[in-house]
Amino acid sequence: MAETTESEQVQVRFTTQQQQYAITESAIFVPANFKRYGLSGIVNHLLGNDKPIPFDFLINGELLRTSLSQYLVANNVSSENVISIEYVESMLPPTPVSAFQHDDWISSVKGQQSSQLFLTGSYDSMVRLWNMSGECVATLEGHADAVKSVAFGAATDNEVVVYSTSLDQTVIAWEYSLVDSSYRVLYQCKGHKGSVEAVAVDQTKKKFATASADATVKVWGVKDPSEEQSIEFLDIKNKKRRKTDSTESHKVKSFCQTLNGHVGPVTSVIFDNKDSNIVYTGGWDHSIRSWDVEQQVNVTTKNCEKVVLDVAQSNQSKMVATGHGDKIIRIWDPRADDAIAVSMSLTGHTNWVSSVSWSPNSEYTLCSGSYDSTVRVWDIRSKGSLFTIQEEDKKDKIYSVHWDGDKILSGGEDKKLNIHQAKI
Amino acid sequence: MRERRATTGFKVAGIATGKSNGAKSSRKEPIKSVNPKQTATKPKKRAAPAQEESDDDLEDFGNVEIDINSDEEDEEIDENDAEESDNEVEEFPEDQSEGEEEDVAADENEDEDEDDDYMAGDSLDEEDWNEEAKISQRPTKLPEIEANYDSDSSTEDVENTVGNVPMEWYDDFPHIGYDIDGKRVLRPAKGDELEKFLSTMDDPDSWRSVSVDKEGKDMVLNDEELDIIRRIQGGDIPDADYNPYEPTVEWFSSKKEVMPLSAAPEPKRRFIPSKWEAKKVMKIVRAIRTGRIVPRKPATEKPRFYNLWGDEDEPREDHIMHIPAPKMKLPEHDESYNPPEEYLPTEQEIKEWKDLDPEDRPKNYLPTKYNSLRQVPAYGRFIQERFERCLDLYLAPRVRKNRLNIDPDSLIPKLPSPKDLQPFPTQQSISYEGHTGRIRCFSLDPVGLYMISGSDDQTVRLWEISTGRCLNTWTFDGVIHSIAWNPNRELCLFAVSVGHGNVTLITPPRIGSPEQISLTDEYIQQGYAAMSTAGSDDKEARNPIPWVKPNAADQEKLGYRVHLSHTQAVKQITWHRKGDYFATVAPDAKNLAVLIHQITKYQTQAPFRKLKGLVQRVMFHPTKPLFFVATQLYVRVYNLMKQELIKTLQSGVKWISSLDVHPGGDNVIVGSYDKRLCWFDLDLSARPYKTLRYHSQAIRQVTFHRRYPLFASASDDGSIQIFHGMVYNDLLQNPLIVPVKILRGHQVVNSLGVLDIEFHPTQPWIVSSGADHSLRLWT
């Protein structure tokens, strides 16, 4: 391949961290006009693969999207030196797997690989559980108004706990039995004075946090409310609420830790991946806050100029990605102390970014859903999005995306749970 | 013949000499060289004919000498001279003959005889004869050759008369020609070579003898001829006497010879300065002094070509009444009688042109094509145009106006760049789909999560702002005119005006928190209680309109709280900031046009007994107990506590359409149907601080942002204009108004564009509703 072209050649050294694809580290000459595809061919040739594996190439931590020579010119790198190129197996474009039709707009989607279930919350106030084959295994009825957010809780072999929040200002914990496909309401959490916009469950599955439009974030324990009665009775306000809700038969949980500090509706909440005591929230007051749950203190506040619509943390790199009302995805380092610590901005969406989700397997990859009806897959090492998933002629907003294992789930105004295969 | 010719030749020469010698004395010299004796003896005679001729020809020269102001006396002298010359003319032929004689001196004797005959009658002097003799004796003088045909042959003594034929013709004959008598001339005997040699040896002249073919004899060359040959061979001039380097004769010398024509003394007046001349000179001097004549002025060059369409008229003297004529526009292609095809209007353009009012037409003619200039008809509008021109001159005379020459850019205030004034809404983010009629009104809840909109499709919809989801729909039996959310965050209540005067207070179900719901219920119950406790007669007096409690089902299901029935359609509902009072405007309801309602007491007041003008909008002051009432032309500010008029704002617009009060309370913006937006600073003046006219159609709504320094106007042209309107706490600093953004997107339907706008209470977003059934959020 190299012999046939007479153009400029550069000396490169291929390295990789994926040991199964390791090749010799000696420098070789490649034509400078090679792009990703050509380099991938070389590596495959060196590996002696019959079936070529697509690779992506990184120079100084930046994905190569142009030809080598263009890269060298753009970054002002001398072509005399040996260029060290790291290669990784590239991500294949997401392929649509299936779409599950709903009766109404989908506000939230979640997947759980361990139990092979998908969870959706819909504006018809139903929470639905789907299995991989596209069957709606359960429709959880109980909310009085649109479901805004859903989350999987603790899962055992037989039961799965599911949390859902709704516009009716309540959070309901459901228990779904995998054995007989039945469900029951574990308890209802009351206390929010506005629509509950988001719910998140911590790693240990002992706590869950909810964010509401009343500018509060509440962190709840997963224990049954009957075990907390003593405390509840002390609360006069809760007593009053119990009176009004007496007609309902569910157990009502009202004991929680309330995190006050946001000055506008809180749109999203997540637990830190490692530390269940830390909660990150984002809201309409343009702030991204981290909280100490036990002490109910706002630890840090990072401000940007725009409304925060969703917060997600990578379980690999601990970086936090936020979707904003100004079409931008911002990547933050939560450990940085400064008030403004945006480490990166990803631009490409043409409308609000309603939802972001990190790839569970890669610290560089995330997907985002936007009101411009596209789902985009991003590699933070590269400028611009890697892939754009868009159904033709669709104007439907996407409200939620979730990267579950090797699947990207998205749902929105088109009333479909769209599942795309995305291997990385 | 020949003599005459010679004579004329001389004469010509004589004239030439005479002419060339303006100064008469110098003429002798050249003649001397030819014939020194003759000139020496007869200088007088030679002068005479020259003088005679100079009468005619030499006037130029005479003028050189003679004073310009030649007098009659001078002329007399000239005449005398002429007479003298006349006398001498008689001698002229004699003179001629003399000249001829010397020419032909070398000729044959016969000629001399003839000459003698001719000269017989003349008195010839002895000197002449002597002279002749002298000439004949001159051996060196070669015969003068006249350049005539065969002129030499006549002088030769020729025996053979064959003429000028090649002699080889006679080679075969014994003779070589014929003599003059016709007898043969025999070839002379020729000796052989030896003889020839001997003869050369014998004859001392043989070296200089040349055989002459015609004669067949040898001819001996004399010394002169030999000399000529030698000279020719040497490359010299053959004539030994000819001196090529003679001294130059200055025929035309620069020296001026004074030769007065008359010896008369100069007249006296020649020495007296001329008065007449002095006068003339003085005239010129005076002219020079006054500057009328500029001596030695460089001649200004006049241009050969003039630019007819040049930039400037010839500058005239600066006069205050002089107004240069306006420049005519250059004719264009389409004014041609035969314009190019592309300038010819199409059918549709012709129709459009004809449909236009003559005053609105961009051109008062239609380009027309004629095949030739001959076919162009007479100008039909001539009379009309002359008439209009006369009208122009009569009614609109040109007047000089003093124009200030100001750079227009310098008049534009230095405004900050819109980039620095962010945030403000820039693009459409969410469209709220559902309504099927034009959306006249909408209102955002005080937190900014929900929105209610009322439409001509007789429905009221509740929207979730961040998602665009329609959460609830109420259907009424009338057009929704106005809708307003209670600004009190503790309450969850809005008022909607439906159809012909029905105002309903609604608590949307499931939206408010339990506390909000209970507090709202408390408010309503409180008022109901107050109404029921009040005396029946008292109640009638106090409430101009009835408050009706809706039935229980509606209360439970739809959230209806209270119905108020106005007599006329309520066009506007506005709340007091505390959420207890709200005011309604029903412009057609005469003295009940403006009503202020209190929920907690179920009480309605008509604060104005009589209203001047049609009420358009009312507003509560955000902090003080003031009440703004906008009629068509004025905005009046009332104090509700003291019940008095505080201020009247004169907008200067024709019809106020909308009104909003800055959250600070000291500034008011007013939109009008005549496209203007007026900003009033209440502390400053009752007149607008700024009047903005950026819309091309009527303004429907103006609004302030409650938190950000923004305000916006919505218009029937389908656009929303966002302004940065910063109000400073410093009373000395005037508000800063900067247009920052025009939002376009609403379609204009039936000449209605954007009907209502409202800013989001917390975010820099704006919501707009339009006649195109759309409700949009701009962020």
Side-chain angles (χ1 to χ4, degrees):
Chain A
M1 209 181 293
E3 291 81 7
T4 54
T5 52
E6 293 179 17
S7 62
E8 191 192 352
Q9 296 208 329
V10 287
Q11 214 174 1
V12 299
R13 179 182 290 121
F14 288 108
T15 59
T16 187
Q17 287 169 358
Q18 292 169 308
Q19 288 308 311
Q20 70 272 30
Y21 299 129
I23 56 168
T24 171
E25 297 236 329
S26 60
I28 54 170
F29 280 100
V30 295
N33 58 358
F34 266 31
K35 292 189 177 182
R36 187 205 67 82
Y37 183 80
L39 295 173
S40 189
I42 291 174
V43 173
N44 274 305
H45 178 74
L46 291 171
L47 287 169
N49 285 342
D50 293 334
K51 195 181 168 198
I53 302 163
F55 288 103
D56 264 324
F57 295 88
L58 292 147
I59 305 174
N60 293 331
E62 194 182 328
L63 274 178
L64 185 68
R65 284 280 172 261
T66 56
S67 72
L68 271 175
S69 56
Q70 281 167 326
Y71 173 84
L72 296 179
V73 170
N75 291 284
N76 210 3
V77 180
S78 166
S79 58
E80 305 285 317
N81 303 336
V82 179
I83 303 158
S84 182
I85 300 180
E86 189 188 340
Y87 61 94
V88 290
E89 193 183 352
S90 68
M91 182 187 166
L92 294 173
T95 48
V97 177
S98 53
F100 304 157
Q101 186 70 40
H102 287 62
D103 295 339
D104 208 340
W105 297 3
I106 295 165
S107 59
S108 178
V109 293
K110 285 277 156 36
Q112 196 180 41
Q113 241 183 342
S114 59
S115 59
Q116 300 281 306
L117 285 172
F118 302 127
L119 180 65
T120 62
S122 170
Y123 273 90
D124 59 1
S125 69
M126 305 288 183
V127 177
R128 290 184 177 81
L129 276 164
W130 306 77
N131 63 14
M132 291 293 181
S133 54
E135 285 171 298
C136 183
V137 293
T139 304
L140 314 181
E141 292 178 50
H143 279 296
D145 210 332
V147 176
K148 296 289 284 185
S149 178
V150 289
F152 278 107
T156 60
D157 290 342
N158 296 329
E159 280 116 18
V160 177
V161 178
V162 167
Y163 302 97
S164 68
T165 69
S166 165
L167 207 64
D168 64 5
Q169 307 168 3
T170 61
V171 182
I172 297 180
W174 316 77
E175 190 182 65
Y176 172 71
S177 167
L178 293 167
V179 182
D180 56 356
S181 295
S182 64
Y183 72 92
R184 67 184 179 93
V185 176
L186 286 179
Y187 46 84
Q188 200 172 19
C189 306
K190 297 208 171 187
H192 279 301
K193 291 170 192 167
S195 157
V196 188
E197 297 286 323
V199 60
V201 184
D202 79 325
Q203 289 294 96
T204 60
K205 314 285 182 192
K206 297 266 173 59
K207 282 187 245 180
F208 65 96
T210 55
S212 164
D214 64 0
T216 60
V217 176
K218 288 182 189 291
V219 181
W220 316 75
V222 294
K223 281 179 190 162
D224 197 78
S226 53
E227 297 165 27
E228 296 164 355
Q229 283 296 347
S230 56
I231 305 156
E232 193 187 347
F233 279 122
L234 296 174
D235 198 321
I236 303 158
K237 264 193 176 178
N238 286 349
K239 223 189 224 169
K240 198 199 279 175
R241 199 182 308 130
R242 272 177 67 93
K243 215 190 287 173
T244 56
D245 298 332
S246 57
T247 50
E248 294 180 28
S249 56
H250 307 308
K251 289 181 201 166
V252 173
K253 185 189 189 78
S254 52
F255 176 74
C256 63
Q257 284 154 311
T258 306
L259 308 175
N260 283 315
H262 273 290
V263 291
V266 189
T267 51
S268 61
V269 60
I270 51 164
F271 277 100
D272 189 275
N273 282 325
K274 298 284 182 299
D275 189 349
S276 300
N277 199 30
I278 298 174
V279 162
Y280 301 110
T281 59
W284 278 25
D285 58 353
H286 307 171
S287 67
I288 293 155
R289 292 166 195 256
S290 68
W291 307 82
D292 187 313
V293 176
E294 277 177 14
Q295 298 182 6
Q296 303 182 23
V297 181
N298 182 4
V299 181
T300 60
T301 305
K302 297 171 199 298
N303 282 308
C304 65
E305 291 296 308
K306 302 293 171 183
V307 163
V308 181
L309 295 172
D310 197 17
V311 179
Q313 191 186 26
S314 166
N315 58 5
Q316 304 267 332
S317 65
K318 289 205 158 221
M319 298 294 269
V320 169
T322 51
H324 292 265
D326 62 346
K327 310 172 274 183
I328 294 174
I329 300 163
R330 290 181 172 84
I331 313 285
W332 312 75
D333 189 348
R335 293 159 291 192
D337 283 336
D338 12 348
I340 299 165
V342 181
S343 59
M344 187 174 282
S345 294
L346 303 176
T347 52
H349 279 298
T350 57
N351 210 333
W352 290 11
V353 182
S354 57
S355 177
V356 287
S357 179
W358 286 89
S359 162
N361 306 320
S362 164
E363 57 181 306
Y364 302 114
T365 320
L366 70 151
C367 67
S368 65
S370 162
Y371 284 4
D372 63 4
S373 80
T374 61
V375 174
R376 283 172 195 257
V377 180
W378 309 80
D379 191 311
I380 60 170
R381 297 168 295 188
S382 162
K383 287 169 191 143
S385 58
L386 284 184
F387 307 109
T388 302
I389 305 165
Q390 183 176 26
E391 284 185 52
E392 284 170 22
D393 307 330
K394 281 261 178 137
K395 294 277 164 55
D396 300 320
K397 297 187 263 290
I398 286 172
Y399 292 126
S400 178
V401 291
H402 185 230
W403 197 318
D404 174 38
D406 58 354
K407 291 189 175 58
I408 295 174
L409 316 177
S410 64
E413 226 177 281
D414 62 351
K415 304 178 186 174
K416 278 185 216 153
L417 167 64
N418 292 303
I419 301 167
H420 287 81
Q421 187 77 31
K423 182 167 178 287
I424 188 152
Chain B
M1 283 280 285
R2 217 191 296 155
E3 292 152 8
R4 286 179 79 183
R5 188 167 62 228
T7 316
T8 47
F10 181 75
K11 198 177 182 184
V12 168
I15 289 164
T17 47
K19 270 192 179 175
S20 59
N21 272 334
K24 289 124 197 174
S25 60
S26 67
R27 129 183 87 168
K28 294 167 191 168
E29 211 179 348
I31 296 168
K32 209 187 269 174
S33 67
V34 179
N35 198 348
K37 195 185 173 188
Q38 187 199 13
T39 47
T41 50
K42 294 194 154 183
K44 260 189 186 171
K45 285 182 185 173
R46 301 302 301 255
Q51 182 65 57
E52 180 218 15
E53 282 169 1
S54 73
D55 275 344
D56 299 323
D57 296 334
L58 295 183
E59 274 197 1
D60 295 341
F61 295 98
N63 282 340
V64 174
E65 297 294 316
I66 295 164
D67 198 354
I68 302 167
N69 303 317
S70 56
D71 300 325
E72 288 166 18
E73 218 176 68
D74 291 330
E75 282 165 23
E76 282 166 20
I77 292 165
D78 291 342
E79 280 169 23
N80 293 338
D81 289 344
E83 280 165 28
E84 279 176 87
S85 62
D86 283 347
N87 295 335
E88 283 173 354
V89 167
E90 288 161 17
E91 291 173 4
F92 187 56
E94 181 186 283
D95 198 13
Q96 274 187 325
S97 65
E98 280 171 10
E100 190 232 8
E101 268 182 297
E102 66 182 32
D103 282 346
V104 295
D107 280 359
E108 296 161 30
N109 296 330
E110 295 167 15
D111 292 335
E112 278 180 9
D113 295 339
E114 286 171 15
D115 282 345
D116 289 343
D117 297 341
Y118 179 69
M119 287 187 290
D122 284 334
S123 61
L124 202 66
D125 297 341
E126 282 179 351
E127 292 169 15
D128 290 333
W129 284 110
N130 296 334
E131 190 184 339
E132 213 169 41
K134 276 178 189 171
I135 291 164
S136 57
Q137 284 168 6
R138 278 174 10 204
T140 54
K141 195 68 186 174
L142 290 171
E144 203 161 309
I145 298 164
E146 280 194 295
N148 275 327
Y149 175 69
D150 226 359
S151 59
D152 272 352
S153 63
S154 61
T155 62
E156 279 170 19
D157 181 19
V158 185
E159 282 179 17
N160 196 352
T161 57
V162 288
N164 200 9
V165 296
M167 289 314 291
E168 58 261 28
W169 290 0
Y170 290 92
D171 280 351
D172 298 336
F173 297 101
H175 61 275
I176 54 168
Y178 306 91
D179 68 2
I180 199 159
D181 300 322
K183 290 178 183 163
R184 287 179 181 175
V185 178
L186 293 175
R187 191 184 303 272
K190 244 186 188 175
D192 57 354
E193 290 297 311
L194 184 62
E195 269 178 57
K196 209 183 260 182
F197 172 73
L198 287 176
S199 68
T200 48
M201 297 306 288
D202 294 341
D203 189 359
D205 288 338
S206 66
W207 62 274
R208 60 161 86 177
S209 57
V210 177
S211 73
V212 181
D213 265 344
K214 238 176 201 173
E215 307 291 330
K217 286 185 276 189
D218 283 355
M219 198 180 122
V220 177
L221 300 176
N222 59 17
D223 287 345
E224 273 174 59
E225 286 162 342
L226 284 173
D227 189 39
I228 289 172
I229 291 169
R230 201 181 62 242
R231 281 172 177 280
I232 289 172
Q233 281 175 337
D236 284 343
I237 292 164
D239 187 354
D241 287 346
Y242 180 70
N243 181 12
Y245 306 110
E246 278 185 58
T248 316
V249 179
E250 274 205 56
W251 299 101
F252 309 100
S253 75
S254 56
K255 278 179 275 178
K256 196 179 273 182
E257 307 279 347
V258 179
M259 177 69 80
L261 291 175
S262 94
E266 295 270 295
K268 186 188 175 187
R269 67 172 176 277
R270 299 263 172 91
F271 307 98
I272 300 170
S274 163
K275 283 182 184 174
W276 175 84
E277 227 173 34
K279 269 186 185 175
K280 226 174 178 183
V281 167
M282 275 318 292
K283 204 175 173 185
I284 295 169
V285 167
R286 248 179 271 120
I288 289 172
R289 277 184 189 152
T290 53
R292 275 180 286 124
I293 295 175
V294 180
R296 285 179 288 282
K297 190 173 73 175
T300 50
E301 223 175 80
K302 283 191 175 177
R304 274 184 71 200
F305 307 107
Y306 292 90
N307 183 6
L308 262 183
W309 309 104
D311 286 340
E312 279 306 315
D313 212 355
E314 194 68 22
R316 289 217 260 164
E317 52 189 311
D318 196 17
H319 194 272
I320 194 141
M321 291 309 288
H322 174 243
I323 301 166
K327 261 182 275 179
M328 274 186 74
K329 223 174 68 179
L330 288 173
E332 289 174 14
H333 291 292
D334 58 356
E335 285 176 69
S336 164
Y337 74 90
N338 187 11
E341 289 293 335
E342 61 266 29
Y343 289 98
L344 291 174
T346 59
E347 293 280 328
Q348 195 197 345
E349 280 169 353
I350 291 172
K351 192 173 169 294
E352 275 175 15
W353 186 83
K354 283 181 176 163
D355 289 346
L356 272 178
D357 195 55
E359 283 181 1
D360 296 337
R361 288 171 185 165
K363 290 169 182 166
N364 60 359
Y365 59 90
L366 275 174
T368 325
K369 194 181 180 79
Y370 299 100
N371 285 331
S372 69
L373 195 56
R374 193 161 37 85
Q375 290 171 329
V376 177
Y379 185 43
R381 292 190 68 255
F382 180 74
I383 302 285
Q384 179 70 24
E385 207 172 78
R386 287 298 97 190
F387 174 68
E388 279 168 7
R389 172 74 180 148
C390 291
L391 281 187
D392 281 353
L393 291 172
Y394 161 55
L395 294 170
R398 295 207 299 275
V399 176
R400 180 179 291 278
K401 271 188 183 172
N402 284 330
R403 252 173 60 187
L404 288 172
N405 199 8
I406 298 173
D407 179 20
D409 292 338
S410 68
L411 294 175
I412 299 171
K414 297 271 179 295
L415 291 178
S417 160
K419 273 184 192 166
D420 307 332
L421 303 175
Q422 279 177 336
F424 51 83
T426 52
Q427 66 149 12
Q428 184 192 326
S429 291
I430 299 171
S431 180
Y432 303 89
E433 311 287 345
H435 276 299
T436 55
R438 64 172 73 118
I439 304 165
R440 285 176 191 266
C441 52
F442 64 89
S443 179
L444 273 68
D445 84 315
V447 180
L449 288 167
Y450 306 106
M451 174 166 66
I452 40 168
S453 64
S455 160
D456 278 7
D457 61 6
Q458 308 191 346
T459 59
V460 168
R461 284 174 187 266
L462 174 72
W463 307 90
E464 189 179 39
I465 288 176
S466 62
T467 56
R469 171 78 186 181
C470 177
L471 297 174
N472 212 337
T473 306
W474 291 267
T475 308
F476 293 94
D477 50 357
V479 167
I480 316 296
H481 287 295
S482 180
I483 203 161
W485 205 296
N486 190 319
N488 191 344
R489 284 183 178 224
E490 306 289 314
L491 302 176
C492 184
L493 187 69
F494 66 83
V496 55
S497 150
V498 183
H500 199 71
N502 290 320
V503 173
T504 308
L505 297 182
I506 298 173
T507 301
R510 296 192 302 278
I511 292 300
S513 68
E515 286 86 353
Q516 283 177 327
I517 303 289
S518 59
L519 192 61
T520 310
D521 286 342
E522 217 169 276
Y523 257 65
I524 301 291
Q525 294 300 331
Q526 199 180 334
Y528 189 69
M531 184 177 71
S532 52
T533 53
S536 59
D537 51 337
D538 195 18
K539 187 176 73 188
E540 281 300 316
R542 269 166 47 198
N543 271 6
I545 55 159
W547 293 60
V548 181
K549 200 172 184 181
N551 58 43
D554 281 355
Q555 276 197 50
E556 185 63 33
K557 201 176 149 203
L558 300 169
Y560 290 180
R561 288 294 182 265
V562 182
H563 291 303
L564 290 93
S565 306
H566 289 66
T567 53
Q568 296 290 334
V570 174
K571 298 286 180 169
Q572 192 208 351
I573 299 171
T574 183
W575 287 88
H576 185 255
R577 92 194 122 88
K578 283 180 180 161
D580 192 7
Y581 295 94
F582 68 98
T584 55
V585 179
D588 303 329
K590 306 231 165 66
N591 61 337
L592 295 183
V594 179
L595 296 175
I596 296 178
H597 314 273
Q598 189 179 9
I599 306 172
T600 48
K601 288 182 180 168
Y602 272 36
Q603 186 185 340
T604 298
Q605 299 171 42
F608 305 108
R609 218 168 293 132
K610 191 163 181 292
L611 278 159
K612 295 173 206 158
L614 214 55
V615 178
Q616 300 297 313
R617 292 290 170 108
V618 297
M619 281 291 280
F620 286 99
H621 191 279
T623 49
K624 295 175 195 160
L626 301 181
F627 193 60
F628 296 83
V629 179
T631 56
Q632 276 181 19
L633 297 177
Y634 305 106
V635 179
R636 295 192 173 84
V637 188
Y638 297 93
N639 189 327
L640 290 176
M641 301 282 274
K642 295 178 185 168
Q643 301 192 341
E644 63 181 13
L645 176 69
I646 291 179
K647 201 175 267 186
T648 303
L649 304 178
Q650 292 166 340
S651 62
V653 299
K654 286 178 189 137
W655 195 316
I656 291 171
S657 65
S658 47
L659 167 82
D660 198 14
V661 183
H662 189 268
D666 286 339
N667 294 276
V668 173
I669 48 172
V670 164
S672 80
Y673 288 116
D674 51 349
K675 308 165 195 175
R676 286 179 177 80
L677 187 151
C678 304
W679 176 296
F680 291 94
D681 193 328
L682 294 182
D683 297 334
L684 210 62
S685 156
R687 299 236 165 233
Y689 158 65
K690 283 270 162 67
T691 300
L692 313 174
R693 196 185 151 175
Y694 292 124
H695 282 291
S696 59
Q697 294 294 330
I699 291 177
R700 287 273 160 192
Q701 179 66 291
V702 291
T703 181
F704 273 112
H705 200 288
R706 301 292 139 200
R707 287 195 179 179
Y708 289 89
L710 292 172
F711 67 98
S713 61
S715 159
D716 275 347
D717 60 9
S719 69
I720 303 155
Q721 295 187 348
I722 312 288
F723 298 88
H724 177 87
M726 179 61 107
V727 175
Y728 298 97
N729 288 330
D730 181 5
L731 285 174
L732 293 174
Q733 206 167 0
N734 284 332
L736 174 73
I737 299 170
V738 185
V740 288
K741 184 78 188 173
I742 300 175
L743 303 173
R744 297 180 205 278
H746 278 288
Q747 268 108 48
V748 179
V749 179
N750 295 334
S751 74
L752 290 176
V754 187
L755 297 177
D756 198 6
I757 47 170
E758 192 176 327
F759 277 109
H760 191 275
T762 56
Q763 303 293 335
W765 302 342
I766 192 166
V767 183
S768 66
S769 73
D772 56 350
H773 311 173
S774 70
L775 186 63
R776 295 157 196 246
L777 172 73
W778 309 80
T779 61

